[in-house]
Every structure is written in C-alpha cells, then in structure tokens.
Amino acid sequence: MNTPALTIAQASCADDYDPNSMPVAKARAFIHQFLAPIEGTVRVPSHRNSAMDGWAMRGADLKADGETTLQEIGASFAGKPFAGRVGAGQCVRIMTGGVVPEGADTVVMQERAKASGKSIAFGGSNRTGQNVREAGEDLKKGSVALKKGRVIRPAELGLVASLGIAEIAVHRKLRVAFFSTGDELKSIGTPLGEGEIYDSNRYTLHGMLMRLDCEVLDMGVVRDDPQALESAFREAAANADVVITSGGVSVGEADFVKAMMDRLGEVVFWKIAMKPGRPLAYGRIEGAHFFGLPGNPVSVMVTFYQFVRDALLVLMGVDPVSPAPTFKATCTAKLKKAPGRTEFQRGVLSRAADGALTVKPTGEQGSGILKSMSDANCFIILDDATGNVETGTPVEVQLLEGIV
Ligand code: AMP
Ligand code: MG
C-alpha cells in the first residue's frame, strides 16, 4: 500500500487553487493526491472448484445421452483436495467448493447419479465443463479488485476478505462542524419564549451527515451577532474539514456575514435559480470548506442533497461520485410551477397496478413545511423551462434513498 508522504497542508500550499470558487473537479484532483489503489495481484478463487455436490470426471467419458458408469477412486471435499489424477472411466466424489482434481473437467450433481458401492451410474444429459468454477472466475489474476475511491459497502468488505486481506487503507472520516444561526432559535429541552421556534435544521443536518458517515461536530445555535458568529466560525474551521451553517445568508443578513467572511476567508454568495433554497454561500474559512445554507428547513435539506452531498463525497475521496439516480414517472396530480427556475417538489414514487411508475406530490410545498420532506421518498425535479404540470405528464424524480 502506498502512503503518500505529502500532507494536506503541504499540498494546499503547493497547489495554487482559488478557494473562492472551488470546482468539484479541482477538489477531486486535490484529494486524489492522497489516494493509493490496493496493490498486489492474487486470483479468487485460487483453484478450479466444484459448484455442486456430486462427482468429478472427464467430460469426454460421459455419454451425450443415456447412462455412463464410472469407478469412484477417491474424494475431494472443500479444504481437503484429492491428491491423485482422474483417468478414463474414473470419477471422484466431490463437494461444493472442493478442488476439481487433475484430469477431471466436469462435475455431475449427485441428484443425477446412482451409487452402487464404488460404481457410480450417471444419467441425464451432460456437457463437458459443467458445474466447475474456474480459478479466477471472481477475480482474474492481475485484475484490479477495487479501484481507489470505492466506498467500502458490505460487498466490498466480503471481496477484500476473499482476498485474505485483513486491513486496507481508507480515508479517515470527514469532519463536519455545523451550527444554526438565528436569534429566534431554541434548542430542544429549552422552553420557547415569544416569537421563538425550535431549531430543527441542526437535527436534519445531523441525520444527513450521519448517513454519509461523517464525523460530526454539533456547535448548537449561534445568535445573529457578528462577534458570536465570528468566534463560532473560527472554532468550527479550526476543528473541521467542512463547516455547514443554516440561516443568515438571505439578502438582509448577507451583508454583515459578507463583511465578516472577508476577514475569515473567501466566500461567494449566490442567489440560485431554484425553489426551495435560493440563497447559498460557498467558500473557504481558514482552510475549511464552508457551505452557508438557507434557513428554511426544507431549503436546508434540498440544498444539502443538491450541492453539499456530492461535494462531501468528493472530499471523502469517493470516485466517481454518482448523483442520486433519477427516473421518469407519471405525475398523478397537477403541479404549480413557474418557468425560469428549477423546482424540487417533494413526492411519493410508487408502482401502479399496471407496473408503471407514478408520483404524487406530498401536499403543501412551502419551504418551511418539513412534513413535505418527511412524507416524501423522492424529489420531483422540474427544470427551468417547465411551467405548470398537468395530471398524467411524465416528470423526472430523484430517489431520496439509495440502495447499496
Ligand atoms: P433566515 O435564512 O435566517 O432568514 O431564515 C429563514 C427562515 O428559516 C426563518 O423563518 C427562520 O426562522 C427559519 N429558520 C432558520 N433557521 C432555522 C432552524 N435552525 N430551524 C428551524 N427554522 C429555522
Ligand atoms: Mg436567520
């Protein structure tokens, strides 16, 4: 395994990138300096083995049709191979996973055999090579088992184990610090005063970050106060690779946040042509990536899924990063939509009795109505050009859950 000597700090000094507008491809290239593919060439399975319980023989000995009787000369069990060679007219008792002995190239399953002492009669139609798993069938010698950038899911864990490898090098977890901003916010467990609401964004962010297996640093609620915010940003950036905030990036508030950001780092503020989730800030604060998400609870989730998720995966070293899959489904309700922006309405995707995929919106679609997210299993993505949608129109949907 290669462990590059370069540290991130050294590389970031050496690499002349613009933290003001970090493109995904540049972030990916940066991270890739630290990735090393699994090395070494082995093959899995390492030997030709039987796919069935039965007998192994030369395929040429079997009659194409009708019964063939062969003499059993030994046994090959999984982990206990037969040491000899199978000659003409001979066969070897074999169990699933047993090494196919020298001379043999075919296995007949036991259900097609009649044993009378060591004389075994085989029936049915057979072909040479049947029920034999070739060496290297799973992984050819010299082939790459796992490319760098692959997420280790259950299948990858098994693949690595099948190679006899007990430890592999992986990226450390991405550290993500997050806080909510707003004088009106209270954490759960505290009574609400006049005009106050419970902070929900920190909980949705926590959940979304945990799903991506990030190491999270929950910094609570920070008041809309320049000094409190500045020290929260400094602390977050000092302790995390990524800082995510919610609230405080809308037009009225952006100005003082902008002034503060000029002292702390470099940040771009966008008004994105989308609904929900218009205001968004991205930048770097003292070496940490910064995502300033809108305050509205649904906007937080939408902007997280549409911008932050992929960026975090890139930072984690996942390569390639595939967007959550999209499908076409027939919309079973009318949708209100203004052209000129992309909308991410929340919907329920299901399969109708005739097998067709259908989607219906989850009711009220306001950016503060978190229930519309909670009831949904997908986004209905309506692009810039789309206007109102009539019942029965095919629309693009994106699943909120991915099966891995
Ligand atoms: P802002 O972007 O700070 O102007 O917030 C926009 C709206 O989202 C306001 O109605 C806020 O009260 C609400 N909001 C902001 N942060 C949170 C939060 N953490 N939890 C719930 N609602 C929030
Ligand atoms: Mg606010």
Side-chain angles (χ1 to χ4, degrees):
M1 197 64 54
N2 282 336
T3 312
L6 200 64
T7 67
I8 289 188
Q10 286 166 334
S12 58
C13 295
D15 192 350
D16 146 47
Y17 62 81
D18 176 8
N20 252 332
S21 55
M22 177 70 127
V24 165
K26 271 202 160 176
R28 183 177 290 145
F30 179 85
I31 290 159
H32 280 199
Q33 298 171 94
F34 304 96
L35 305 180
I38 291 165
E39 287 177 343
T41 59
V42 290
R43 56 185 191 176
V44 177
S46 58
H47 48 263
R48 233 166 31 137
N49 67 92
S50 177
M52 292 280 180
D53 291 347
W55 280 266
M57 71 287 293
R58 298 168 179 237
D61 280 358
L62 295 170
K63 288 201 189 90
D65 245 329
E67 213 170 77
T68 313
T69 301
L70 303 174
Q71 282 305 114
E72 183 186 299
I73 56 164
S76 176
F77 297 138
K80 276 194 220 124
F82 174 71
R85 193 184 162 78
V86 177
Q90 297 178 329
C91 63
V92 157
R93 179 80 171 119
I94 196 162
M95 292 298 165
T96 305
V99 177
V100 174
E102 235 183 287
D105 56 11
T106 302
V107 170
V108 176
M109 60 170 151
Q110 59 195 21
E111 290 80 356
R112 296 214 185 140
K114 273 192 293 258
S116 158
K118 297 286 171 196
S119 280
I120 322 293
F122 300 99
S125 63
N126 297 291
R127 71 175 168 78
T128 297
Q130 72 188 17
N131 301 325
V132 171
R133 298 193 286 222
E134 291 302 327
E137 186 177 83
D138 196 353
L139 288 173
K140 299 249 178 320
K141 189 171 169 64
S143 69
V144 175
L146 289 175
K147 285 217 172 101
K148 65 183 175 185
R150 286 286 291 271
V151 176
I152 304 297
R153 303 167 306 168
E156 285 75 24
L157 278 176
L159 193 62
V160 170
S162 75
L163 293 163
I165 296 170
E167 287 182 27
I168 53 170
V170 293
H171 286 263
R172 67 166 170 78
K173 288 190 177 184
L174 195 68
R175 279 186 213 112
V176 183
F178 60 100
F179 56 87
S180 296
T181 69
D183 286 339
E184 76 284 25
L185 303 176
K186 279 279 158 68
S187 292
I188 24 188
T190 325
L192 291 183
E194 181 80 15
E196 292 179 336
I197 56 168
Y198 284 117
D199 172 12
S200 57
N201 292 341
R202 254 163 66 229
Y203 302 91
T204 49
L205 273 173
H206 186 275
M208 293 187 290
L209 290 167
M210 291 308 280
R211 280 196 170 179
L212 291 175
D213 218 8
C214 295
E215 198 176 301
V216 294
L217 178 61
D218 180 350
M219 295 181 56
V221 174
V222 178
R223 283 171 297 118
D224 289 318
D225 163 67
Q227 267 171 12
L229 281 168
E230 186 165 336
S231 66
F233 274 118
R234 283 192 198 282
E235 190 190 332
N239 290 294
D241 305 300
V242 179
V243 179
I244 302 177
T245 63
S246 71
V249 288
S250 53
V251 178
E253 293 161 307
D255 289 347
F256 88 83
V257 180
K258 262 185 202 152
M260 177 178 46
M261 288 303 174
D262 285 342
R263 289 197 295 280
L264 294 174
E266 290 166 290
V267 177
V268 287
F269 289 82
W270 291 311
K271 282 196 197 78
I272 299 185
M274 69 186 278
K275 188 187 172 189
R278 228 157 104 76
L280 188 76
Y282 171 73
R284 309 259 305 178
I285 302 169
E286 293 173 355
H289 294 260
F290 164 61
F291 294 89
L293 307 185
N296 279 305
V298 181
S299 308
V300 166
M301 296 195 76
V302 173
T303 49
F304 185 94
Y305 284 130
Q306 300 303 326
F307 298 101
V308 185
R309 171 192 176 270
D310 289 5
L312 296 186
L313 291 174
V314 170
L315 291 172
M316 285 174 193
V318 177
D319 181 26
V321 172
S322 339
T326 59
F327 306 88
K328 281 275 182 207
T330 305
C331 195
T332 59
K334 276 187 167 183
L335 304 178
K336 264 187 77 182
K337 158 77 169 65
R341 65 185 180 209
T342 301
E343 287 198 17
F344 297 89
Q345 301 204 7
R346 281 74 67 202
V348 180
L349 180 70
S350 52
R351 201 176 274 287
D354 65 359
L357 286 175
T358 62
V359 64
K360 68 166 196 297
T362 54
E364 271 299 314
Q365 296 287 312
S367 60
I369 301 170
L370 209 43
K371 190 162 188 313
S372 68
M373 268 310 297
S374 167
D375 288 343
N377 63 8
C378 68
F379 285 127
I380 303 170
I381 305 179
L382 306 169
D383 66 14
D384 290 17
T386 306
N388 289 336
V389 172
E390 293 304 321
T391 304
T393 310
V395 290
E396 192 180 7
V397 298
Q398 181 176 50
L399 282 182
L400 293 175
E401 315 273 343
I403 300 171
V404 285

